[in-house]
Amino acid sequence: MMSQFSQNIAKPNNNTELFSDHEKWMARALEEAWKGVGLTSPNPAVGAVIVKNGEELGAGYHRKAGLPHAEREAIADVVARHREDALKGATIYVTLEPCSTAGRTPACTDGILENGIVRVVYGAVDPNPDHAGAADTVLKAKGVEVHSGVLEKECERLLRPFAKRITTGLPWVIAKTAMSLDGRITRPPSEGQWLTSPESREIVHQLRARVDAIIVGGKTVRRDNPRLTLRSEQSSAEKEQPWRVVLTYSGRESLPQDFHLFTDEHKERTLIYQDKPLDEVLRNLAEKGCNSVLLECGGKLMRQFAEAELIDEYQLFYAPIITGGEDFGFGLGDHFKSSLKLKEVSSQSIGQDTLIQGVVER
Amino acid sequence: MMSQFSQNIAKPNNNTELFSDHEKWMARALEEAWKGVGLTSPNPAVGAVIVKNGEELGAGYHRKAGLPHAEREAIADVVARHREDALKGATIYVTLEPCSTAGRTPACTDGILENGIVRVVYGAVDPNPDHAGAADTVLKAKGVEVHSGVLEKECERLLRPFAKRITTGLPWVIAKTAMSLDGRITRPPSEGQWLTSPESREIVHQLRARVDAIIVGGKTVRRDNPRLTLRSEQSSAEKEQPWRVVLTYSGRESLPQDFHLFTDEHKERTLIYQDKPLDEVLRNLAEKGCNSVLLECGGKLMRQFAEAELIDEYQLFYAPIITGGEDFGFGLGDHFKSSLKLKEVSSQSIGQDTLIQGVVER
């Protein structure tokens, strides 16, 4: 389900021949990690591959908080597919520095040592400054060879939501909006609701499957009676419904109580915040374990999030129309104090639409 | 200089192996034709290739109104490179139906017949309904084999500006604007004038080289003191300075007389229209021989052109910034009566920017 995003991440360039062996296997570990994106909060998505004599013995990824970490999954995979002693002398590739302290599950460094794995290659350092690099010390003390920083940027990209929450107490915020080429979010009244193509709306469902909460404004709810569910079958089977967060000035009572958000099978996953500062809302969601949040709100609220510099990533869909209307994707008003600049910008055709993605430069 | 545009046009898909021989040679003729884009008004850009026994004997394109047509250029090229009788039994590929009546230059059908060319393959039919298909009759009557409609869509695309003027009395209008991702055309005051990258501005110069006139509003002139010249050396050597058209409510006297447009070496190529209906301005430019016009105006005027459905093609540059300001690429106001829909939409990265191109569906 993550093909579009995993492709962006797993391959730093198109020429795989330029990869070193370490990079080749780390790309495989990233492939595994991407399977867990959106499923693991408050933990990060992590993938691991175990290799011996140039062959992949097994692989795994972290599936859900409380279940084994990626390293343990990969070890179990090897044991299931080979004899247990296959692990002796093997190398494990893991996208994130292995944990060296027991949490809800035992420390991964122990699993590595117990099974005779002799080399650990990891991508990103633990974003928690208290733990960063701790695995190196534990493993090297026992004679295990450690390499770090392989495909580091790609591994860090995958970790961003977790790292943001761990280091700032705020979730990674993705702003999604669908606009006409002239920046409007509505069409003339005679033309119906949708600006973008079914293909773009499918991508929006993939985005929802990446996040732990979806934020909309009361106005959007009143106008659209949205479900904000995961319509893609594959994702909805594995993934818990993201929180459906409604920001409103006038409280729950102002919203029709027979709407989907209050009556469907996920109604306990609907949250209302009345007249709360946006950063407080986000902090509260982070405390609930949300690593990432998707904004699907209208122009006024989107503008407030943007202006307050609370947005980390933009996913902007442009439909091939010019409408001239009054509702803008980023509202109306004066210039921001300074422009928000995006980096890692890419554009692609999605059906008839163009998707421009980027991450805010800070 | 036309590489970006000629690539879009000359290759209907990336797999040249799927081309038939006719398509292969027509693609070569299109390549020739593109060399003349922007140079030939009021004539169209046309290219021709002469082939015998699977070999290219010569090629040519129409360079300028009053100079020989593409067919005559290609014939002259063959004569210069081979013996004159090389033309006997040859096939000529030409992007546009050959002219069969003498104008400023003699009829091309005569040149074809006189030189013993036995087969004519052309792309687009003459857009002038009085002439359409006339060449077929003339040539077939003399025993020449005629094929038409090869890469027809690509050949017609190249002809659009000419066809628009011939059939409607209006030029082909290209709207170019550079916006932030939120549809704004200005940055916060502290940040300087440019939204887009030098690479995008280079493409704008290529666009200018395609057209016969550039339209701006008085406000843009007063604010920027623009030159609206062709800075690309290659293009400015071959090409006449496009008309620089200023639309103003308050007349020439309201514009600073020491500005570039009134004092530089191209000052006789500056036109002022005071308070004229937009379609009248365009009609007048068509009468001066303009096949194509580039709008480089601000949001208010751009909106008027768009709303009046006078724009044929959009070239929209999106800089990777969000500015939140008050000046929109397509102004402020109510929805248009109906949305303008674009077809043949493509997007590409230009430096850090994204260029979305499309043609209005009518």
Side-chain angles (χ1 to χ4, degrees):
Chain A
M1 77 187 172
M2 288 300 156
S3 57
Q4 187 228 144
F5 302 104
S6 57
Q7 277 172 16
N8 287 349
I9 296 296
K11 295 180 191 158
N13 59 50
N14 289 323
N15 192 342
T16 46
E17 288 171 35
L18 290 178
F19 280 14
S20 71
D21 266 5
H22 278 351
E23 284 171 340
K24 183 181 100 179
W25 293 117
M26 190 60 76
R28 263 291 292 133
L30 277 162
E31 229 173 83
E32 288 295 311
W34 271 99
K35 297 179 186 168
V37 165
L39 306 177
T40 61
S41 292
N43 291 346
V46 183
V49 175
I50 294 173
V51 174
K52 199 159 82 177
N53 302 326
E55 304 252 333
E56 178 175 328
L57 297 182
Y61 65 97
H62 184 44
R63 290 165 189 272
K64 196 180 157 96
L67 293 183
H69 286 184
E71 298 89 326
R72 297 274 182 183
E73 290 276 1
I75 288 170
D77 188 45
V78 174
V79 171
R81 290 163 59 185
H82 306 272
R83 293 182 345 201
E84 195 157 341
D85 64 2
L87 288 160
K88 288 205 194 316
T91 299
I92 188 164
Y93 291 88
V94 54
T95 56
L96 171 64
E97 177 184 351
C99 66
S100 50
T101 51
R104 289 165 74 178
T105 57
C108 287
T109 46
D110 290 347
I112 289 165
L113 294 169
E114 283 156 17
N115 285 286
I117 290 171
V118 296
R119 193 188 289 117
V120 174
V121 182
Y122 68 81
V125 169
D126 192 324
N128 184 336
D130 294 344
H131 298 167
D136 294 41
T137 315
V138 170
L139 293 167
K140 285 178 180 167
K142 301 284 184 178
V144 171
E145 193 182 321
V146 179
H147 298 267
S148 60
V150 175
L151 296 189
E152 187 171 29
K153 226 170 62 181
E154 289 72 20
C155 292
E156 283 177 353
R157 233 178 252 179
L158 186 77
L159 279 177
R160 276 171 175 168
F162 173 76
K164 174 95 190 284
R165 184 180 62 73
I166 284 290
T167 56
T168 68
L170 291 167
W172 181 263
V173 178
I174 305 169
K176 167 248 135 182
T177 193
M179 295 181 275
S180 60
L181 292 168
D182 55 335
R184 273 71 173 184
I185 53 175
T186 53
R187 302 179 64 148
S190 62
E191 294 183 7
Q193 174 191 7
W194 295 113
L195 273 87
T196 46
S197 62
E199 293 89 340
S200 291
R201 299 204 294 278
E202 173 55 32
I203 301 274
V204 172
H205 281 276
Q206 293 179 19
L207 278 170
R208 288 183 184 167
R210 273 173 68 186
V211 300
D212 306 310
I214 300 162
I215 295 182
V216 293
K219 188 176 162 197
T220 299
V221 173
R222 274 184 287 267
R223 193 190 54 207
D224 298 344
N225 184 15
R227 296 174 192 271
L228 306 176
T229 50
L230 306 167
R231 257 165 277 176
S232 161
E233 274 179 37
Q234 197 193 344
S235 59
S236 51
E238 299 170 22
K239 181 173 168 62
E240 193 177 22
Q241 169 64 45
W243 291 108
R244 301 178 297 186
V245 179
V246 185
L247 306 190
T248 164
Y249 290 110
S250 38
R252 182 170 187 139
E253 296 64 38
S254 74
L255 301 166
Q257 296 302 305
D258 58 343
F259 268 22
H260 298 305
L261 293 183
F262 306 117
T263 55
D264 70 8
E265 54 176 325
H266 304 297
K267 63 183 182 224
E268 83 291 353
R269 300 289 289 171
T270 299
L271 294 171
I272 312 288
Y273 290 87
Q274 184 178 356
D275 210 9
K276 277 252 191 311
L278 301 182
D279 59 341
E280 210 174 290
V281 170
L282 293 174
R283 207 167 290 279
N284 190 261
L285 291 170
E287 281 161 11
K288 285 183 189 299
C290 294
N291 287 342
S292 59
V293 166
L294 181 65
L295 304 182
E296 295 201 43
C297 40
K300 206 172 148 190
L301 195 48
M302 197 63 95
R303 182 183 176 83
Q304 290 171 20
F305 275 105
E307 195 163 15
E309 302 194 10
L310 291 169
I311 298 174
D312 299 292
E313 178 178 339
Y314 286 85
Q315 296 272 346
L316 306 176
F317 295 85
Y318 293 88
I321 58 175
I322 294 174
T323 72
E326 289 184 307
D327 294 319
F328 290 87
F330 291 86
L332 275 172
D334 289 336
H335 282 122
F336 294 160
K337 212 166 53 209
S338 56
S339 296
L340 304 174
K341 294 196 186 71
L342 305 195
K343 61 180 181 178
E344 300 169 28
V345 177
S346 69
S347 64
Q348 59 189 302
S349 296
I350 307 284
Q352 324 171 52
D353 309 321
T354 302
L355 168 59
I356 303 183
Q357 312 176 60
V359 165
V360 175
E361 212 171 282
R362 303 227 191 263
Chain B
M1 79 184 171
M2 288 298 158
S3 57
Q4 187 229 145
F5 303 105
S6 57
Q7 277 171 13
N8 286 349
I9 295 297
K11 296 181 188 157
N13 58 51
N14 289 323
N15 191 342
T16 46
E17 290 172 31
L18 291 177
F19 280 14
S20 71
D21 265 7
H22 277 353
E23 285 171 340
K24 182 182 101 177
W25 292 118
M26 191 59 77
R28 263 292 291 132
L30 277 163
E31 229 172 83
E32 288 295 311
W34 271 99
K35 297 180 187 168
V37 165
L39 306 177
T40 61
S41 291
N43 290 348
V46 183
V49 175
I50 295 172
V51 175
K52 199 160 83 175
N53 302 326
E55 304 251 334
E56 177 174 328
L57 297 182
Y61 64 98
H62 184 45
R63 292 165 187 272
K64 197 181 157 100
L67 293 183
H69 287 184
E71 298 89 326
R72 298 273 182 186
E73 290 277 2
I75 288 168
D77 187 45
V78 175
V79 171
R81 289 163 60 185
H82 305 272
R83 295 181 345 203
E84 195 156 344
D85 63 4
L87 288 160
K88 288 205 195 316
T91 299
I92 188 164
Y93 291 87
V94 54
T95 56
L96 171 64
E97 177 182 351
C99 67
S100 50
T101 51
R104 289 165 74 177
T105 57
C108 287
T109 47
D110 291 347
I112 288 164
L113 294 168
E114 284 157 14
N115 285 285
I117 290 172
V118 295
R119 194 188 290 118
V120 174
V121 182
Y122 67 81
V125 169
D126 192 323
N128 185 336
D130 295 343
H131 299 166
D136 294 41
T137 315
V138 171
L139 292 168
K140 284 177 181 169
K142 301 285 184 177
V144 172
E145 193 182 320
V146 180
H147 298 266
S148 60
V150 175
L151 297 188
E152 188 172 27
K153 226 170 62 181
E154 289 72 22
C155 291
E156 283 178 355
R157 232 177 254 178
L158 186 78
L159 278 177
R160 276 171 175 167
F162 173 75
K164 173 96 190 283
R165 184 180 61 74
I166 284 290
T167 57
T168 69
L170 291 167
W172 180 263
V173 178
I174 304 169
K176 168 250 135 182
T177 191
M179 295 181 275
S180 61
L181 291 169
D182 54 335
R184 273 74 173 180
I185 53 176
T186 52
R187 302 180 64 148
S190 61
E191 293 183 8
Q193 175 190 8
W194 295 112
L195 273 87
T196 46
S197 61
E199 292 89 340
S200 291
R201 300 204 293 277
E202 174 54 34
I203 301 275
V204 172
H205 282 275
Q206 293 180 20
L207 277 170
R208 287 181 185 168
R210 273 172 69 185
V211 300
D212 306 310
I214 300 163
I215 296 182
V216 293
K219 189 177 160 195
T220 298
V221 173
R222 275 183 287 267
R223 194 191 52 208
D224 298 344
N225 184 15
R227 296 174 191 272
L228 306 176
T229 49
L230 305 167
R231 259 166 275 175
S232 160
E233 273 180 36
Q234 196 191 345
S235 59
S236 51
E238 299 171 21
K239 182 173 167 63
E240 193 176 21
Q241 169 65 43
W243 291 107
R244 301 178 295 186
V245 178
V246 185
L247 306 190
T248 165
Y249 290 111
S250 39
R252 180 168 188 138
E253 296 64 37
S254 73
L255 300 167
Q257 297 303 305
D258 57 345
F259 269 22
H260 298 305
L261 293 183
F262 306 116
T263 55
D264 71 8
E265 56 176 323
H266 305 296
K267 63 184 183 223
E268 83 291 354
R269 298 290 287 173
T270 300
L271 295 171
I272 313 286
Y273 290 87
Q274 184 177 357
D275 209 8
K276 276 253 190 307
L278 300 183
D279 58 340
E280 210 174 290
V281 170
L282 292 175
R283 207 167 292 279
N284 190 261
L285 291 171
E287 282 160 11
K288 286 184 188 299
C290 294
N291 287 342
S292 60
V293 166
L294 181 64
L295 304 182
E296 296 200 43
C297 39
K300 205 172 150 190
L301 196 48
M302 197 63 94
R303 181 183 178 84
Q304 290 171 20
F305 275 106
E307 195 163 13
E309 302 192 10
L310 291 169
I311 299 174
D312 298 291
E313 179 179 339
Y314 286 85
Q315 298 271 348
L316 306 175
F317 295 86
Y318 294 87
I321 58 174
I322 295 175
T323 70
E326 288 184 306
D327 295 320
F328 291 87
F330 291 86
L332 273 173
D334 291 335
H335 282 122
F336 295 161
K337 211 166 53 209
S338 54
S339 297
L340 305 173
K341 293 194 186 69
L342 305 194
K343 60 181 182 178
E344 300 169 28
V345 176
S346 69
S347 63
Q348 59 189 301
S349 296
I350 306 286
Q352 326 169 53
D353 307 323
T354 301
L355 168 58
I356 303 182
Q357 312 177 59
V359 166
V360 175
E361 209 173 285
R362 303 225 192 262

